[in-house]
PDB file of all heavy atoms in Angstrom:
ATOM      1  N   THR I1570     124.242 100.536 120.522  1.00  0.00           N
ATOM      2  CA  THR I1570     124.028  99.147 120.940  1.00  0.00           C
ATOM      3  C   THR I1570     125.234  98.617 121.719  1.00  0.00           C
ATOM      4  O   THR I1570     125.319  97.421 121.962  1.00  0.00           O
ATOM      5  CB  THR I1570     123.774  98.239 119.732  1.00  0.00           C
ATOM      6  OG1 THR I1570     124.926  98.250 118.875  1.00  0.00           O
ATOM      7  CG2 THR I1570     122.556  98.706 118.941  1.00  0.00           C
ATOM      8  N   GLN I1571     126.129  99.520 122.130  1.00  0.00           N
ATOM      9  CA  GLN I1571     127.350  99.154 122.868  1.00  0.00           C
ATOM     10  C   GLN I1571     128.155  98.076 122.142  1.00  0.00           C
ATOM     11  O   GLN I1571     128.715  97.163 122.748  1.00  0.00           O
ATOM     12  CB  GLN I1571     127.021  98.676 124.295  1.00  0.00           C
ATOM     13  CG  GLN I1571     126.531  99.764 125.233  1.00  0.00           C
ATOM     14  CD  GLN I1571     125.088 100.157 124.990  1.00  0.00           C
ATOM     15  OE1 GLN I1571     124.210  99.297 124.892  1.00  0.00           O
ATOM     16  NE2 GLN I1571     124.832 101.453 124.872  1.00  0.00           N
ATOM     17  N   GLY I1572     128.189  98.171 120.807  1.00  0.00           N
ATOM     18  CA  GLY I1572     128.991  97.260 120.011  1.00  0.00           C
ATOM     19  C   GLY I1572     128.347  95.912 119.735  1.00  0.00           C
ATOM     20  O   GLY I1572     128.964  95.061 119.085  1.00  0.00           O
ATOM     21  N   ARG I1573     127.116  95.718 120.190  1.00  0.00           N
ATOM     22  CA  ARG I1573     126.458  94.434 119.910  1.00  0.00           C
ATOM     23  C   ARG I1573     126.153  94.292 118.414  1.00  0.00           C
ATOM     24  O   ARG I1573     126.190  93.189 117.870  1.00  0.00           O
ATOM     25  CB  ARG I1573     125.161  94.321 120.720  1.00  0.00           C
ATOM     26  CG  ARG I1573     125.393  94.215 122.224  1.00  0.00           C
ATOM     27  CD  ARG I1573     124.068  94.009 122.956  1.00  0.00           C
ATOM     28  NE  ARG I1573     124.256  93.914 124.392  1.00  0.00           N
ATOM     29  CZ  ARG I1573     124.254  94.957 125.215  1.00  0.00           C
ATOM     30  NH1 ARG I1573     124.062  96.168 124.716  1.00  0.00           N
ATOM     31  NH2 ARG I1573     124.440  94.808 126.513  1.00  0.00           N
ATOM     32  N   ILE I1574     125.817  95.404 117.772  1.00  0.00           N
ATOM     33  CA  ILE I1574     125.676  95.427 116.316  1.00  0.00           C
ATOM     34  C   ILE I1574     126.792  96.318 115.785  1.00  0.00           C
ATOM     35  O   ILE I1574     126.835  97.514 116.077  1.00  0.00           O
ATOM     36  CB  ILE I1574     124.304  95.987 115.877  1.00  0.00           C
ATOM     37  CG1 ILE I1574     123.167  95.240 116.579  1.00  0.00           C
ATOM     38  CG2 ILE I1574     124.162  95.897 114.363  1.00  0.00           C
ATOM     39  CD1 ILE I1574     123.112  93.773 116.283  1.00  0.00           C
ATOM     40  N   ARG I1575     127.707  95.737 115.038  1.00  0.00           N
ATOM     41  CA  ARG I1575     128.889  96.461 114.561  1.00  0.00           C
ATOM     42  C   ARG I1575     128.756  96.751 113.067  1.00  0.00           C
ATOM     43  O   ARG I1575     128.004  96.101 112.348  1.00  0.00           O
ATOM     44  CB  ARG I1575     130.152  95.647 114.841  1.00  0.00           C
ATOM     45  CG  ARG I1575     130.376  95.321 116.312  1.00  0.00           C
ATOM     46  CD  ARG I1575     131.765  94.755 116.530  1.00  0.00           C
ATOM     47  NE  ARG I1575     131.951  93.513 115.810  1.00  0.00           N
ATOM     48  CZ  ARG I1575     131.763  92.299 116.339  1.00  0.00           C
ATOM     49  NH1 ARG I1575     131.356  92.189 117.589  1.00  0.00           N
ATOM     50  NH2 ARG I1575     131.957  91.213 115.619  1.00  0.00           N
ATOM     51  N   ARG I1576     129.564  97.709 112.619  1.00  0.00           N
ATOM     52  CA  ARG I1576     129.541  98.026 111.190  1.00  0.00           C
ATOM     53  C   ARG I1576     129.946  96.825 110.353  1.00  0.00           C
ATOM     54  O   ARG I1576     129.474  96.653 109.220  1.00  0.00           O
ATOM     55  CB  ARG I1576     130.421  99.242 110.883  1.00  0.00           C
ATOM     56  CG  ARG I1576     131.917  99.003 110.998  1.00  0.00           C
ATOM     57  CD  ARG I1576     132.707 100.181 110.463  1.00  0.00           C
ATOM     58  NE  ARG I1576     132.300 101.416 111.096  1.00  0.00           N
ATOM     59  CZ  ARG I1576     132.152 102.571 110.433  1.00  0.00           C
ATOM     60  NH1 ARG I1576     132.396 102.619 109.142  1.00  0.00           N
ATOM     61  NH2 ARG I1576     131.813 103.648 111.047  1.00  0.00           N
ATOM     62  N   GLU I1577     130.799  95.966 110.893  1.00  0.00           N
ATOM     63  CA  GLU I1577     131.203  94.771 110.149  1.00  0.00           C
ATOM     64  C   GLU I1577     130.011  93.856 109.877  1.00  0.00           C
ATOM     65  O   GLU I1577     129.954  93.185 108.843  1.00  0.00           O
ATOM     66  CB  GLU I1577     132.284  93.999 110.918  1.00  0.00           C
ATOM     67  CG  GLU I1577     133.635  94.668 110.979  1.00  0.00           C
ATOM     68  CD  GLU I1577     133.702  95.773 112.034  1.00  0.00           C
ATOM     69  OE1 GLU I1577     132.739  95.891 112.843  1.00  0.00           O
ATOM     70  OE2 GLU I1577     134.704  96.516 112.057  1.00  0.00           O
ATOM     71  N   ASP I1578     129.064  93.822 110.812  1.00  0.00           N
ATOM     72  CA  ASP I1578     127.857  93.026 110.605  1.00  0.00           C
ATOM     73  C   ASP I1578     127.053  93.571 109.424  1.00  0.00           C
ATOM     74  O   ASP I1578     126.541  92.804 108.595  1.00  0.00           O
ATOM     75  CB  ASP I1578     126.974  93.062 111.860  1.00  0.00           C
ATOM     76  CG  ASP I1578     127.662  92.493 113.084  1.00  0.00           C
ATOM     77  OD1 ASP I1578     128.370  91.489 112.932  1.00  0.00           O
ATOM     78  OD2 ASP I1578     127.484  93.046 114.185  1.00  0.00           O
ATOM     79  N   ILE I1579     126.948  94.889 109.367  1.00  0.00           N
ATOM     80  CA  ILE I1579     126.132  95.527 108.328  1.00  0.00           C
ATOM     81  C   ILE I1579     126.825  95.444 106.971  1.00  0.00           C
ATOM     82  O   ILE I1579     126.209  95.083 105.960  1.00  0.00           O
ATOM     83  CB  ILE I1579     125.842  96.982 108.726  1.00  0.00           C
ATOM     84  CG1 ILE I1579     125.080  97.002 110.063  1.00  0.00           C
ATOM     85  CG2 ILE I1579     125.057  97.699 107.641  1.00  0.00           C
ATOM     86  CD1 ILE I1579     124.960  98.380 110.681  1.00  0.00           C
ATOM     87  N   LEU I1580     128.116  95.758 106.941  1.00  0.00           N
ATOM     88  CA  LEU I1580     128.845  95.701 105.674  1.00  0.00           C
ATOM     89  C   LEU I1580     129.000  94.267 105.193  1.00  0.00           C
ATOM     90  O   LEU I1580     128.996  94.001 103.980  1.00  0.00           O
ATOM     91  CB  LEU I1580     130.212  96.368 105.837  1.00  0.00           C
ATOM     92  CG  LEU I1580     130.190  97.851 106.238  1.00  0.00           C
ATOM     93  CD1 LEU I1580     131.604  98.402 106.321  1.00  0.00           C
ATOM     94  CD2 LEU I1580     129.356  98.663 105.257  1.00  0.00           C
ATOM     95  N   GLY I1581     129.118  93.331 106.131  1.00  0.00           N
ATOM     96  CA  GLY I1581     129.204  91.919 105.757  1.00  0.00           C
ATOM     97  C   GLY I1581     127.909  91.426 105.123  1.00  0.00           C
ATOM     98  O   GLY I1581     127.918  90.652 104.162  1.00  0.00           O
ATOM     99  N   THR I1582     126.774  91.896 105.655  1.00  0.00           N
ATOM    100  CA  THR I1582     125.482  91.532 105.081  1.00  0.00           C
ATOM    101  C   THR I1582     125.339  92.107 103.677  1.00  0.00           C
ATOM    102  O   THR I1582     124.825  91.445 102.765  1.00  0.00           O
ATOM    103  CB  THR I1582     124.341  92.044 105.972  1.00  0.00           C
ATOM    104  OG1 THR I1582     124.505  91.521 107.292  1.00  0.00           O
ATOM    105  CG2 THR I1582     122.996  91.622 105.420  1.00  0.00           C
ATOM    106  N   LYS I1583     125.801  93.342 103.496  1.00  0.00           N
ATOM    107  CA  LYS I1583     125.737  93.965 102.168  1.00  0.00           C
ATOM    108  C   LYS I1583     126.575  93.171 101.160  1.00  0.00           C
ATOM    109  O   LYS I1583     126.139  92.948 100.017  1.00  0.00           O
ATOM    110  CB  LYS I1583     126.241  95.409 102.263  1.00  0.00           C
ATOM    111  CG  LYS I1583     126.106  96.223 100.979  1.00  0.00           C
ATOM    112  CD  LYS I1583     126.589  97.635 101.206  1.00  0.00           C
ATOM    113  CE  LYS I1583     126.548  98.474  99.927  1.00  0.00           C
ATOM    114  NZ  LYS I1583     125.172  98.889  99.590  1.00  0.00           N
ATOM    115  N   ALA I1584     127.753  92.728 101.573  1.00  0.00           N
ATOM    116  CA  ALA I1584     128.609  91.937 100.682  1.00  0.00           C
ATOM    117  C   ALA I1584     127.962  90.589 100.358  1.00  0.00           C
ATOM    118  O   ALA I1584     128.021  90.116  99.214  1.00  0.00           O
ATOM    119  CB  ALA I1584     129.977  91.734 101.332  1.00  0.00           C
ATOM    120  N   LEU I1585     127.329  89.976 101.362  1.00  0.00           N
ATOM    121  CA  LEU I1585     126.651  88.702 101.131  1.00  0.00           C
ATOM    122  C   LEU I1585     125.502  88.871 100.144  1.00  0.00           C
ATOM    123  O   LEU I1585     125.294  88.032  99.258  1.00  0.00           O
ATOM    124  CB  LEU I1585     126.124  88.159 102.461  1.00  0.00           C
ATOM    125  CG  LEU I1585     125.269  86.884 102.379  1.00  0.00           C
ATOM    126  CD1 LEU I1585     126.074  85.732 101.790  1.00  0.00           C
ATOM    127  CD2 LEU I1585     124.724  86.516 103.755  1.00  0.00           C
ATOM    128  N   ALA I1586     124.751  89.972 100.274  1.00  0.00           N
ATOM    129  CA  ALA I1586     123.656  90.229  99.337  1.00  0.00           C
ATOM    130  C   ALA I1586     124.181  90.335  97.909  1.00  0.00           C
ATOM    131  O   ALA I1586     123.535  89.858  96.963  1.00  0.00           O
ATOM    132  CB  ALA I1586     122.922  91.506  99.730  1.00  0.00           C
ATOM    133  N   GLY I1587     125.349  90.957  97.736  1.00  0.00           N
ATOM    134  CA  GLY I1587     125.944  91.057  96.405  1.00  0.00           C
ATOM    135  C   GLY I1587     126.241  89.700  95.808  1.00  0.00           C
ATOM    136  O   GLY I1587     126.017  89.466  94.607  1.00  0.00           O
ATOM    137  N   ARG I1588     126.724  88.785  96.636  1.00  0.00           N
ATOM    138  CA  ARG I1588     127.010  87.435  96.146  1.00  0.00           C
ATOM    139  C   ARG I1588     125.713  86.687  95.812  1.00  0.00           C
ATOM    140  O   ARG I1588     125.645  85.949  94.816  1.00  0.00           O
ATOM    141  CB  ARG I1588     127.825  86.665  97.191  1.00  0.00           C
ATOM    142  CG  ARG I1588     129.235  87.214  97.384  1.00  0.00           C
ATOM    143  CD  ARG I1588     130.115  86.266  98.166  1.00  0.00           C
ATOM    144  NE  ARG I1588     129.721  86.165  99.571  1.00  0.00           N
ATOM    145  CZ  ARG I1588     130.164  86.971 100.534  1.00  0.00           C
ATOM    146  NH1 ARG I1588     131.018  87.951 100.244  1.00  0.00           N
ATOM    147  NH2 ARG I1588     129.786  86.802 101.782  1.00  0.00           N
ATOM    148  N   LEU I1589     124.679  86.892  96.634  1.00  0.00           N
ATOM    149  CA  LEU I1589     123.394  86.242  96.356  1.00  0.00           C
ATOM    150  C   LEU I1589     122.766  86.783  95.078  1.00  0.00           C
ATOM    151  O   LEU I1589     122.092  86.043  94.356  1.00  0.00           O
ATOM    152  CB  LEU I1589     122.446  86.454  97.543  1.00  0.00           C
ATOM    153  CG  LEU I1589     122.794  85.688  98.820  1.00  0.00           C
ATOM    154  CD1 LEU I1589     121.874  86.110  99.961  1.00  0.00           C
ATOM    155  CD2 LEU I1589     122.696  84.188  98.591  1.00  0.00           C
ATOM    156  N   PHE I1590     123.000  88.060  94.793  1.00  0.00           N
ATOM    157  CA  PHE I1590     122.453  88.623  93.558  1.00  0.00           C
ATOM    158  C   PHE I1590     123.071  87.953  92.338  1.00  0.00           C
ATOM    159  O   PHE I1590     122.371  87.665  91.344  1.00  0.00           O
ATOM    160  CB  PHE I1590     122.684  90.128  93.513  1.00  0.00           C
ATOM    161  CG  PHE I1590     122.205  90.767  92.238  1.00  0.00           C
ATOM    162  CD1 PHE I1590     120.852  90.913  91.992  1.00  0.00           C
ATOM    163  CD2 PHE I1590     123.105  91.201  91.283  1.00  0.00           C
ATOM    164  CE1 PHE I1590     120.397  91.484  90.808  1.00  0.00           C
ATOM    165  CE2 PHE I1590     122.668  91.768  90.103  1.00  0.00           C
ATOM    166  CZ  PHE I1590     121.308  91.913  89.858  1.00  0.00           C
ATOM    167  N   LYS I1591     124.352  87.695  92.381  1.00  0.00           N
ATOM    168  CA  LYS I1591     125.011  87.041  91.254  1.00  0.00           C
ATOM    169  C   LYS I1591     124.436  85.648  91.013  1.00  0.00           C
ATOM    170  O   LYS I1591     124.360  85.179  89.869  1.00  0.00           O
ATOM    171  CB  LYS I1591     126.512  86.953  91.502  1.00  0.00           C
ATOM    172  CG  LYS I1591     127.221  88.303  91.460  1.00  0.00           C
ATOM    173  CD  LYS I1591     128.717  88.148  91.704  1.00  0.00           C
ATOM    174  CE  LYS I1591     129.427  89.488  91.649  1.00  0.00           C
ATOM    175  NZ  LYS I1591     130.884  89.354  91.910  1.00  0.00           N
ATOM    176  N   LEU I1592     123.990  84.992  92.094  1.00  0.00           N
ATOM    177  CA  LEU I1592     123.448  83.641  91.964  1.00  0.00           C
ATOM    178  C   LEU I1592     121.987  83.642  91.551  1.00  0.00           C
ATOM    179  O   LEU I1592     121.558  82.782  90.775  1.00  0.00           O
ATOM    180  CB  LEU I1592     123.589  82.900  93.308  1.00  0.00           C
ATOM    181  CG  LEU I1592     125.007  82.551  93.759  1.00  0.00           C
ATOM    182  CD1 LEU I1592     124.980  81.975  95.174  1.00  0.00           C
ATOM    183  CD2 LEU I1592     125.641  81.543  92.801  1.00  0.00           C
ATOM    184  N   THR I1593     121.220  84.606  92.052  1.00  0.00           N
ATOM    185  CA  THR I1593     119.772  84.563  91.878  1.00  0.00           C
ATOM    186  C   THR I1593     119.208  85.616  90.937  1.00  0.00           C
ATOM    187  O   THR I1593     118.119  85.429  90.394  1.00  0.00           O
ATOM    188  CB  THR I1593     119.070  84.754  93.236  1.00  0.00           C
ATOM    189  OG1 THR I1593     119.333  86.090  93.722  1.00  0.00           O
ATOM    190  CG2 THR I1593     119.582  83.742  94.257  1.00  0.00           C
ATOM    191  N   ARG I1594     119.906  86.738  90.768  1.00  0.00           N
ATOM    192  CA  ARG I1594     119.433  87.908  90.015  1.00  0.00           C
ATOM    193  C   ARG I1594     118.136  88.469  90.590  1.00  0.00           C
ATOM    194  O   ARG I1594     117.397  89.184  89.899  1.00  0.00           O
ATOM    195  CB  ARG I1594     119.230  87.577  88.536  1.00  0.00           C
ATOM    196  CG  ARG I1594     120.476  87.098  87.813  1.00  0.00           C
ATOM    197  CD  ARG I1594     121.534  88.179  87.767  1.00  0.00           C
ATOM    198  NE  ARG I1594     121.156  89.306  86.925  1.00  0.00           N
ATOM    199  CZ  ARG I1594     121.920  90.367  86.717  1.00  0.00           C
ATOM    200  NH1 ARG I1594     123.111  90.447  87.315  1.00  0.00           N
ATOM    201  NH2 ARG I1594     121.511  91.363  85.948  1.00  0.00           N
ATOM    202  N   LEU I1595     117.862  88.196  91.869  1.00  0.00           N
ATOM    203  CA  LEU I1595     116.684  88.759  92.516  1.00  0.00           C
ATOM    204  C   LEU I1595     116.937  90.217  92.871  1.00  0.00           C
ATOM    205  O   LEU I1595     117.984  90.565  93.403  1.00  0.00           O
ATOM    206  CB  LEU I1595     116.343  87.979  93.791  1.00  0.00           C
ATOM    207  CG  LEU I1595     115.781  86.570  93.598  1.00  0.00           C
ATOM    208  CD1 LEU I1595     115.602  85.891  94.949  1.00  0.00           C
ATOM    209  CD2 LEU I1595     114.457  86.612  92.839  1.00  0.00           C
ATOM    210  N   ALA I1596     115.939  91.062  92.614  1.00  0.00           N
ATOM    211  CA  ALA I1596     116.106  92.502  92.812  1.00  0.00           C
ATOM    212  C   ALA I1596     116.439  92.855  94.255  1.00  0.00           C
ATOM    213  O   ALA I1596     117.176  93.802  94.520  1.00  0.00           O
ATOM    214  CB  ALA I1596     114.839  93.234  92.373  1.00  0.00           C
ATOM    215  N   MET I1597     115.892  92.100  95.230  1.00  0.00           N
ATOM    216  CA  MET I1597     116.110  92.447  96.625  1.00  0.00           C
ATOM    217  C   MET I1597     117.563  92.302  97.046  1.00  0.00           C
ATOM    218  O   MET I1597     117.977  92.860  98.059  1.00  0.00           O
ATOM    219  CB  MET I1597     115.217  91.595  97.529  1.00  0.00           C
ATOM    220  CG  MET I1597     115.554  90.123  97.538  1.00  0.00           C
ATOM    221  SD  MET I1597     114.419  89.175  98.603  1.00  0.00           S
ATOM    222  CE  MET I1597     114.708  89.946 100.195  1.00  0.00           C
ATOM    223  N   PHE I1598     118.363  91.561  96.268  1.00  0.00           N
ATOM    224  CA  PHE I1598     119.775  91.369  96.598  1.00  0.00           C
ATOM    225  C   PHE I1598     120.705  92.275  95.782  1.00  0.00           C
ATOM    226  O   PHE I1598     121.909  92.284  96.026  1.00  0.00           O
ATOM    227  CB  PHE I1598     120.189  89.911  96.371  1.00  0.00           C
ATOM    228  CG  PHE I1598     119.509  88.930  97.277  1.00  0.00           C
ATOM    229  CD1 PHE I1598     118.910  87.785  96.752  1.00  0.00           C
ATOM    230  CD2 PHE I1598     119.458  89.147  98.640  1.00  0.00           C
ATOM    231  CE1 PHE I1598     118.272  86.877  97.585  1.00  0.00           C
ATOM    232  CE2 PHE I1598     118.822  88.239  99.486  1.00  0.00           C
ATOM    233  CZ  PHE I1598     118.235  87.109  98.950  1.00  0.00           C
TER     234      PHE I1598
END
Side-chain angles (χ1 to χ4, degrees):
T1570 62
Q1571 290 77 49
R1573 293 184 180 89
I1574 307 299
R1575 301 191 298 266
R1576 71 171 54 221
E1577 290 79 9
D1578 299 321
I1579 300 169
L1580 299 182
T1582 303
K1583 186 178 177 76
L1585 175 61
R1588 292 193 290 272
L1589 289 173
F1590 177 72
K1591 291 180 179 179
L1592 292 173
T1593 66
R1594 300 296 292 181
L1595 289 175
M1597 67 182 300
F1598 295 131

